[in-house]
Amino acid sequence: MQAPGAGSASVVSLVLLWLLGLPWTWSAAAALGVYVGGGGWRFLRIVCKTARRDLFGLFVLIRVRLELRRHQRAGHTIPRIFQVVARRQPDRLALVDAGSDVCWTFAQLDAYSNAVANLFCQLGFTPGDVVAIFLEGRPEFVGLWLGLAKVGVEAALLNVNLRREPLAFCLGTSGAKALIFGGELAAVVAEVSGQLGKSLLKFCSGELGPEGILPDTQLLDPLLRDASTAPLAQPPDKGMDDRLFYIYTSGTTGLPKAAIVVHSRYYRIAAFGHHAYSMQVADVLYDCLPLYHSAGNIMGVGQCLIYGLTVVLRKKFSASRFWDDCIKYNCTVVQYIGEICRYLLKQPVREAEGRHRVRLAVGNGLRPAIWEEFTERFGVRQIGEFYGATECNCSIANMDGKVGSCGFNSRILPHVYPIRLVKVNEDTMELLRDAQGLCIPCQAGEPGLLVGQIDQQDPLRRFDGYISESATSKKIAHSVFRKGDSAYLSGDVLVMDELGYMYFRDRGGDTFRWRGENVSTTEVESVLSRLLGQTDVAVYGVSVPGVEGKAGMAAIADPHGQLSPNALYQELQKVLAPYARPIFLRLLPQVDTTGTFKIQKTRLQHEGFDPRQTSDRLFFLDLKQGHYLPLDQGVYTRICSGAFAL
């Protein structure tokens, strides 16, 4: 950024000229000349181009920090903050279910959550207990975890796509004493009921399916109707650093990990989004993202609970209904993941898309190639692209609309928010270190792993990790910025330009992003290997032209050519969520392994799904037809041209 000696040389020259008796104006001019001539002009250029952006970012950072400090000193929690909002505007709409058109005011949400708190208190649940929630996105979902939090009970928010072994695993590792599931998921729960243990209490919320109520299950809705809606007489002694709930995130360990979300983390994520994108109480936010993820439940619903906005929920994204919903409910802010923007652009042009009042779209994964097309076609003035994970301490945000950027780090004041891109081995993601044992910072234009320095006393820099201590330790490195420090490893590779704008490059490790979900390759490998009698399998993500994220590809050892792709697909539908099912198959004589029997994927990833790169048998999952097709050059060309729906 700046010639190393330019600043020092300019100061020395200023002092010498002043000692020689020259006027200070001459001395200052000469010192400035030395500074600029020594390379300092680069720094001055960066200051001129980024000062406004950085000052606004600093303002947001300070504002969030002051708000958090105020709530910490007052001993507040998310439920207490919400109750203040609800008392201030009891009759304002809090949550709207676009699917059923059911509307909840702040008073109704407060009353429902109070009923949940009183019921579970009567049932003997105490602060620190865990209750799992397995429910599609609707107002009850929010009321349930909020009510549990009012009594100090921590909710484990389960992905509704989980089935069988992964579902049983997540329930088991959460330590839940009870499970609340939606009637729409009763059949899924029935499949694993034998693995859940007799001590687990089960409650069913909502309408029952044709199979009726499950054995040992209580209907939750009648119990809540009979429960008191008054606030608890003695709220639990909880603070901003205590646990609020758990969100499951796929990682490199195989099965989902339960990330710990404390009250201050919930507040921090929602507050940064609110202030970075200048949201107002009068805004109406459209949230069609899953509520078991942080984007939908914290960045979205958090605007309702903390700042009093109305949030419109739709349990599943619909491209055809998106703009109609926005018009019907007067939405001014929408949430997205990259795929949502692409699906909307694929829709035929409709008159409705020009009548909405949406001014801001907040999310992540919007490709630079369609960024401007999206804003121009739909008239959305601001894109609030951000980068972050549920558990990370190095979130960044694009606050000034730089096309393609997911955020920035100040080049003027880099230590205000201590994050950094560091060099890694691209194949192993191992940190590279210098002679002093410290991580090597990346220069502008160099891809590197994003890391954030950990300070457990700072709510903006703390890392709370996962329920699993071993999973937590794997995300922490030491002696990164300086000797003896600790830093969070994001697992993601980004690139920073000269002005400090950052661009997402790739997801490191054994996880890739597809359809808005993190796919664990080791989990899919385990399922495939088990189905195929412990056959060697390598699963990895491959890029498809014009498509966000990476599509799953499985290389399977099939030395005798006996594997039937479509018979395998019939089994995969039973055990894997749709986003985790491999789009491509590669059947080969054997899968390469290292000397320690670790599967090697680097060559396979480079070759991708191009039939010209290999003589192995390749197959492509035609989602419309519901089966695998042999992947020849013709099919490859059609995939690359966008002829198939992915």
PDB file of all heavy atoms in Angstrom, residues 566-589:
ATOM      1  N   ASN A 566     -29.201 -45.323 -11.569  1.00  0.00           N
ATOM      2  CA  ASN A 566     -30.579 -45.009 -11.217  1.00  0.00           C
ATOM      3  C   ASN A 566     -31.087 -45.842 -10.037  1.00  0.00           C
ATOM      4  O   ASN A 566     -31.926 -45.384  -9.257  1.00  0.00           O
ATOM      5  CB  ASN A 566     -31.491 -45.178 -12.432  1.00  0.00           C
ATOM      6  CG  ASN A 566     -31.241 -44.075 -13.443  1.00  0.00           C
ATOM      7  OD1 ASN A 566     -31.142 -42.909 -13.083  1.00  0.00           O
ATOM      8  ND2 ASN A 566     -31.097 -44.440 -14.704  1.00  0.00           N
ATOM      9  N   ALA A 567     -30.566 -47.057  -9.881  1.00  0.00           N
ATOM     10  CA  ALA A 567     -30.896 -47.828  -8.682  1.00  0.00           C
ATOM     11  C   ALA A 567     -30.299 -47.133  -7.453  1.00  0.00           C
ATOM     12  O   ALA A 567     -30.927 -47.074  -6.389  1.00  0.00           O
ATOM     13  CB  ALA A 567     -30.365 -49.250  -8.806  1.00  0.00           C
ATOM     14  N   LEU A 568     -29.095 -46.592  -7.626  1.00  0.00           N
ATOM     15  CA  LEU A 568     -28.467 -45.844  -6.538  1.00  0.00           C
ATOM     16  C   LEU A 568     -29.290 -44.601  -6.199  1.00  0.00           C
ATOM     17  O   LEU A 568     -29.493 -44.276  -5.026  1.00  0.00           O
ATOM     18  CB  LEU A 568     -27.042 -45.445  -6.938  1.00  0.00           C
ATOM     19  CG  LEU A 568     -26.290 -44.528  -5.966  1.00  0.00           C
ATOM     20  CD1 LEU A 568     -26.086 -45.220  -4.626  1.00  0.00           C
ATOM     21  CD2 LEU A 568     -24.940 -44.120  -6.562  1.00  0.00           C
ATOM     22  N   TYR A 569     -29.791 -43.914  -7.227  1.00  0.00           N
ATOM     23  CA  TYR A 569     -30.569 -42.691  -6.991  1.00  0.00           C
ATOM     24  C   TYR A 569     -31.838 -42.981  -6.200  1.00  0.00           C
ATOM     25  O   TYR A 569     -32.251 -42.180  -5.348  1.00  0.00           O
ATOM     26  CB  TYR A 569     -30.908 -42.027  -8.318  1.00  0.00           C
ATOM     27  CG  TYR A 569     -31.646 -40.714  -8.146  1.00  0.00           C
ATOM     28  CD1 TYR A 569     -31.056 -39.647  -7.459  1.00  0.00           C
ATOM     29  CD2 TYR A 569     -32.929 -40.543  -8.641  1.00  0.00           C
ATOM     30  CE1 TYR A 569     -31.721 -38.445  -7.286  1.00  0.00           C
ATOM     31  CE2 TYR A 569     -33.609 -39.346  -8.475  1.00  0.00           C
ATOM     32  CZ  TYR A 569     -32.997 -38.299  -7.796  1.00  0.00           C
ATOM     33  OH  TYR A 569     -33.668 -37.117  -7.620  1.00  0.00           O
ATOM     34  N   GLN A 570     -32.460 -44.113  -6.444  1.00  0.00           N
ATOM     35  CA  GLN A 570     -33.657 -44.476  -5.685  1.00  0.00           C
ATOM     36  C   GLN A 570     -33.354 -44.569  -4.194  1.00  0.00           C
ATOM     37  O   GLN A 570     -34.160 -44.175  -3.346  1.00  0.00           O
ATOM     38  CB  GLN A 570     -34.217 -45.819  -6.194  1.00  0.00           C
ATOM     39  CG  GLN A 570     -34.723 -45.789  -7.623  1.00  0.00           C
ATOM     40  CD  GLN A 570     -35.833 -44.771  -7.829  1.00  0.00           C
ATOM     41  OE1 GLN A 570     -36.775 -44.697  -7.036  1.00  0.00           O
ATOM     42  NE2 GLN A 570     -35.726 -43.974  -8.884  1.00  0.00           N
ATOM     43  N   GLU A 571     -32.168 -45.074  -3.864  1.00  0.00           N
ATOM     44  CA  GLU A 571     -31.774 -45.173  -2.461  1.00  0.00           C
ATOM     45  C   GLU A 571     -31.373 -43.815  -1.887  1.00  0.00           C
ATOM     46  O   GLU A 571     -31.652 -43.507  -0.731  1.00  0.00           O
ATOM     47  CB  GLU A 571     -30.611 -46.166  -2.313  1.00  0.00           C
ATOM     48  CG  GLU A 571     -30.970 -47.594  -2.697  1.00  0.00           C
ATOM     49  CD  GLU A 571     -32.100 -48.136  -1.840  1.00  0.00           C
ATOM     50  OE1 GLU A 571     -32.059 -47.930  -0.605  1.00  0.00           O
ATOM     51  OE2 GLU A 571     -33.031 -48.744  -2.403  1.00  0.00           O
ATOM     52  N   LEU A 572     -30.714 -42.984  -2.719  1.00  0.00           N
ATOM     53  CA  LEU A 572     -30.270 -41.674  -2.240  1.00  0.00           C
ATOM     54  C   LEU A 572     -31.449 -40.790  -1.860  1.00  0.00           C
ATOM     55  O   LEU A 572     -31.362 -39.980  -0.925  1.00  0.00           O
ATOM     56  CB  LEU A 572     -29.433 -40.980  -3.315  1.00  0.00           C
ATOM     57  CG  LEU A 572     -28.054 -41.578  -3.597  1.00  0.00           C
ATOM     58  CD1 LEU A 572     -27.355 -40.789  -4.701  1.00  0.00           C
ATOM     59  CD2 LEU A 572     -27.195 -41.569  -2.335  1.00  0.00           C
ATOM     60  N   GLN A 573     -32.560 -40.929  -2.565  1.00  0.00           N
ATOM     61  CA  GLN A 573     -33.738 -40.122  -2.264  1.00  0.00           C
ATOM     62  C   GLN A 573     -34.270 -40.403  -0.858  1.00  0.00           C
ATOM     63  O   GLN A 573     -34.914 -39.554  -0.250  1.00  0.00           O
ATOM     64  CB  GLN A 573     -34.833 -40.381  -3.298  1.00  0.00           C
ATOM     65  CG  GLN A 573     -34.496 -39.856  -4.690  1.00  0.00           C
ATOM     66  CD  GLN A 573     -35.643 -40.078  -5.655  1.00  0.00           C
ATOM     67  OE1 GLN A 573     -36.566 -39.286  -5.750  1.00  0.00           O
ATOM     68  NE2 GLN A 573     -35.592 -41.179  -6.370  1.00  0.00           N
ATOM     69  N   LYS A 574     -33.977 -41.578  -0.342  1.00  0.00           N
ATOM     70  CA  LYS A 574     -34.473 -41.950   0.977  1.00  0.00           C
ATOM     71  C   LYS A 574     -33.601 -41.404   2.111  1.00  0.00           C
ATOM     72  O   LYS A 574     -34.087 -41.234   3.235  1.00  0.00           O
ATOM     73  CB  LYS A 574     -34.540 -43.480   1.104  1.00  0.00           C
ATOM     74  CG  LYS A 574     -35.446 -44.149   0.069  1.00  0.00           C
ATOM     75  CD  LYS A 574     -35.356 -45.671   0.198  1.00  0.00           C
ATOM     76  CE  LYS A 574     -36.161 -46.376  -0.883  1.00  0.00           C
ATOM     77  NZ  LYS A 574     -36.019 -47.858  -0.799  1.00  0.00           N
ATOM     78  N   VAL A 575     -32.329 -41.173   1.825  1.00  0.00           N
ATOM     79  CA  VAL A 575     -31.401 -40.882   2.922  1.00  0.00           C
ATOM     80  C   VAL A 575     -30.694 -39.535   2.824  1.00  0.00           C
ATOM     81  O   VAL A 575     -30.082 -39.100   3.799  1.00  0.00           O
ATOM     82  CB  VAL A 575     -30.336 -42.000   3.033  1.00  0.00           C
ATOM     83  CG1 VAL A 575     -30.977 -43.300   3.459  1.00  0.00           C
ATOM     84  CG2 VAL A 575     -29.585 -42.193   1.713  1.00  0.00           C
ATOM     85  N   LEU A 576     -30.743 -38.868   1.656  1.00  0.00           N
ATOM     86  CA  LEU A 576     -30.058 -37.585   1.516  1.00  0.00           C
ATOM     87  C   LEU A 576     -31.038 -36.482   1.156  1.00  0.00           C
ATOM     88  O   LEU A 576     -31.974 -36.692   0.380  1.00  0.00           O
ATOM     89  CB  LEU A 576     -28.969 -37.655   0.433  1.00  0.00           C
ATOM     90  CG  LEU A 576     -27.655 -38.339   0.782  1.00  0.00           C
ATOM     91  CD1 LEU A 576     -26.702 -38.278  -0.414  1.00  0.00           C
ATOM     92  CD2 LEU A 576     -26.988 -37.690   2.001  1.00  0.00           C
ATOM     93  N   ALA A 577     -30.803 -35.298   1.729  1.00  0.00           N
ATOM     94  CA  ALA A 577     -31.599 -34.130   1.349  1.00  0.00           C
ATOM     95  C   ALA A 577     -31.369 -33.827  -0.133  1.00  0.00           C
ATOM     96  O   ALA A 577     -30.296 -34.130  -0.672  1.00  0.00           O
ATOM     97  CB  ALA A 577     -31.190 -32.926   2.200  1.00  0.00           C
ATOM     98  N   PRO A 578     -32.337 -33.211  -0.816  1.00  0.00           N
ATOM     99  CA  PRO A 578     -32.193 -32.946  -2.254  1.00  0.00           C
ATOM    100  C   PRO A 578     -30.915 -32.210  -2.619  1.00  0.00           C
ATOM    101  O   PRO A 578     -30.258 -32.544  -3.611  1.00  0.00           O
ATOM    102  CB  PRO A 578     -33.437 -32.109  -2.570  1.00  0.00           C
ATOM    103  CG  PRO A 578     -34.448 -32.553  -1.576  1.00  0.00           C
ATOM    104  CD  PRO A 578     -33.675 -32.830  -0.315  1.00  0.00           C
ATOM    105  N   TYR A 579     -30.519 -31.215  -1.803  1.00  0.00           N
ATOM    106  CA  TYR A 579     -29.328 -30.436  -2.150  1.00  0.00           C
ATOM    107  C   TYR A 579     -28.033 -31.236  -1.984  1.00  0.00           C
ATOM    108  O   TYR A 579     -26.985 -30.841  -2.505  1.00  0.00           O
ATOM    109  CB  TYR A 579     -29.266 -29.159  -1.305  1.00  0.00           C
ATOM    110  CG  TYR A 579     -29.173 -29.392   0.183  1.00  0.00           C
ATOM    111  CD1 TYR A 579     -27.960 -29.687   0.798  1.00  0.00           C
ATOM    112  CD2 TYR A 579     -30.304 -29.307   0.990  1.00  0.00           C
ATOM    113  CE1 TYR A 579     -27.876 -29.907   2.165  1.00  0.00           C
ATOM    114  CE2 TYR A 579     -30.240 -29.526   2.351  1.00  0.00           C
ATOM    115  CZ  TYR A 579     -29.027 -29.822   2.930  1.00  0.00           C
ATOM    116  OH  TYR A 579     -28.949 -30.037   4.282  1.00  0.00           O
ATOM    117  N   ALA A 580     -28.085 -32.353  -1.232  1.00  0.00           N
ATOM    118  CA  ALA A 580     -26.871 -33.145  -0.984  1.00  0.00           C
ATOM    119  C   ALA A 580     -26.688 -34.286  -1.981  1.00  0.00           C
ATOM    120  O   ALA A 580     -25.632 -34.921  -2.002  1.00  0.00           O
ATOM    121  CB  ALA A 580     -26.897 -33.706   0.439  1.00  0.00           C
ATOM    122  N   ARG A 581     -27.682 -34.552  -2.809  1.00  0.00           N
ATOM    123  CA  ARG A 581     -27.576 -35.651  -3.773  1.00  0.00           C
ATOM    124  C   ARG A 581     -26.661 -35.245  -4.923  1.00  0.00           C
ATOM    125  O   ARG A 581     -26.836 -34.173  -5.510  1.00  0.00           O
ATOM    126  CB  ARG A 581     -28.966 -36.020  -4.312  1.00  0.00           C
ATOM    127  CG  ARG A 581     -29.911 -36.520  -3.228  1.00  0.00           C
ATOM    128  CD  ARG A 581     -31.354 -36.563  -3.711  1.00  0.00           C
ATOM    129  NE  ARG A 581     -32.264 -36.734  -2.573  1.00  0.00           N
ATOM    130  CZ  ARG A 581     -33.562 -36.463  -2.609  1.00  0.00           C
ATOM    131  NH1 ARG A 581     -34.130 -36.018  -3.735  1.00  0.00           N
ATOM    132  NH2 ARG A 581     -34.309 -36.630  -1.539  1.00  0.00           N
ATOM    133  N   PRO A 582     -25.668 -36.079  -5.259  1.00  0.00           N
ATOM    134  CA  PRO A 582     -24.712 -35.709  -6.314  1.00  0.00           C
ATOM    135  C   PRO A 582     -25.402 -35.460  -7.652  1.00  0.00           C
ATOM    136  O   PRO A 582     -26.236 -36.251  -8.095  1.00  0.00           O
ATOM    137  CB  PRO A 582     -23.781 -36.920  -6.396  1.00  0.00           C
ATOM    138  CG  PRO A 582     -23.922 -37.601  -5.069  1.00  0.00           C
ATOM    139  CD  PRO A 582     -25.342 -37.372  -4.643  1.00  0.00           C
ATOM    140  N   ILE A 583     -25.042 -34.362  -8.282  1.00  0.00           N
ATOM    141  CA  ILE A 583     -25.559 -34.047  -9.616  1.00  0.00           C
ATOM    142  C   ILE A 583     -24.800 -34.846 -10.679  1.00  0.00           C
ATOM    143  O   ILE A 583     -25.364 -35.221 -11.713  1.00  0.00           O
ATOM    144  CB  ILE A 583     -25.419 -32.537  -9.889  1.00  0.00           C
ATOM    145  CG1 ILE A 583     -26.213 -31.733  -8.854  1.00  0.00           C
ATOM    146  CG2 ILE A 583     -25.874 -32.186 -11.300  1.00  0.00           C
ATOM    147  CD1 ILE A 583     -27.698 -31.983  -8.886  1.00  0.00           C
ATOM    148  N   PHE A 584     -23.532 -35.118 -10.421  1.00  0.00           N
ATOM    149  CA  PHE A 584     -22.700 -35.856 -11.367  1.00  0.00           C
ATOM    150  C   PHE A 584     -22.123 -37.111 -10.711  1.00  0.00           C
ATOM    151  O   PHE A 584     -21.786 -37.095  -9.520  1.00  0.00           O
ATOM    152  CB  PHE A 584     -21.538 -34.988 -11.868  1.00  0.00           C
ATOM    153  CG  PHE A 584     -21.976 -33.714 -12.557  1.00  0.00           C
ATOM    154  CD1 PHE A 584     -21.940 -32.508 -11.884  1.00  0.00           C
ATOM    155  CD2 PHE A 584     -22.427 -33.743 -13.868  1.00  0.00           C
ATOM    156  CE1 PHE A 584     -22.337 -31.330 -12.500  1.00  0.00           C
ATOM    157  CE2 PHE A 584     -22.833 -32.575 -14.502  1.00  0.00           C
ATOM    158  CZ  PHE A 584     -22.791 -31.368 -13.816  1.00  0.00           C
ATOM    159  N   LEU A 585     -22.019 -38.174 -11.485  1.00  0.00           N
ATOM    160  CA  LEU A 585     -21.347 -39.401 -11.054  1.00  0.00           C
ATOM    161  C   LEU A 585     -20.196 -39.693 -12.000  1.00  0.00           C
ATOM    162  O   LEU A 585     -20.285 -39.458 -13.211  1.00  0.00           O
ATOM    163  CB  LEU A 585     -22.309 -40.593 -11.062  1.00  0.00           C
ATOM    164  CG  LEU A 585     -23.522 -40.571 -10.130  1.00  0.00           C
ATOM    165  CD1 LEU A 585     -24.310 -41.871 -10.291  1.00  0.00           C
ATOM    166  CD2 LEU A 585     -23.104 -40.375  -8.681  1.00  0.00           C
ATOM    167  N   ARG A 586     -19.116 -40.199 -11.438  1.00  0.00           N
ATOM    168  CA  ARG A 586     -17.972 -40.650 -12.237  1.00  0.00           C
ATOM    169  C   ARG A 586     -17.611 -42.053 -11.760  1.00  0.00           C
ATOM    170  O   ARG A 586     -17.198 -42.224 -10.600  1.00  0.00           O
ATOM    171  CB  ARG A 586     -16.791 -39.700 -12.071  1.00  0.00           C
ATOM    172  CG  ARG A 586     -15.543 -40.127 -12.834  1.00  0.00           C
ATOM    173  CD  ARG A 586     -14.479 -39.050 -12.766  1.00  0.00           C
ATOM    174  NE  ARG A 586     -13.255 -39.438 -13.429  1.00  0.00           N
ATOM    175  CZ  ARG A 586     -12.209 -38.641 -13.653  1.00  0.00           C
ATOM    176  NH1 ARG A 586     -12.262 -37.374 -13.241  1.00  0.00           N
ATOM    177  NH2 ARG A 586     -11.133 -39.082 -14.267  1.00  0.00           N
ATOM    178  N   LEU A 587     -17.800 -43.025 -12.612  1.00  0.00           N
ATOM    179  CA  LEU A 587     -17.509 -44.412 -12.257  1.00  0.00           C
ATOM    180  C   LEU A 587     -16.156 -44.788 -12.831  1.00  0.00           C
ATOM    181  O   LEU A 587     -15.950 -44.751 -14.047  1.00  0.00           O
ATOM    182  CB  LEU A 587     -18.610 -45.334 -12.798  1.00  0.00           C
ATOM    183  CG  LEU A 587     -20.044 -44.936 -12.427  1.00  0.00           C
ATOM    184  CD1 LEU A 587     -21.040 -45.977 -12.937  1.00  0.00           C
ATOM    185  CD2 LEU A 587     -20.196 -44.754 -10.922  1.00  0.00           C
ATOM    186  N   LEU A 588     -15.226 -45.154 -11.953  1.00  0.00           N
ATOM    187  CA  LEU A 588     -13.850 -45.401 -12.362  1.00  0.00           C
ATOM    188  C   LEU A 588     -13.320 -46.670 -11.698  1.00  0.00           C
ATOM    189  O   LEU A 588     -13.886 -47.142 -10.706  1.00  0.00           O
ATOM    190  CB  LEU A 588     -12.967 -44.204 -12.048  1.00  0.00           C
ATOM    191  CG  LEU A 588     -12.725 -43.783 -10.588  1.00  0.00           C
ATOM    192  CD1 LEU A 588     -11.669 -42.676 -10.553  1.00  0.00           C
ATOM    193  CD2 LEU A 588     -13.953 -43.309  -9.872  1.00  0.00           C
ATOM    194  N   PRO A 589     -12.256 -47.255 -12.235  1.00  0.00           N
ATOM    195  CA  PRO A 589     -11.744 -48.526 -11.687  1.00  0.00           C
ATOM    196  C   PRO A 589     -11.363 -48.439 -10.219  1.00  0.00           C
ATOM    197  O   PRO A 589     -11.623 -49.355  -9.440  1.00  0.00           O
ATOM    198  CB  PRO A 589     -10.522 -48.825 -12.564  1.00  0.00           C
ATOM    199  CG  PRO A 589     -10.786 -48.084 -13.835  1.00  0.00           C
ATOM    200  CD  PRO A 589     -11.518 -46.844 -13.448  1.00  0.00           C
TER     201      PRO A 589
END
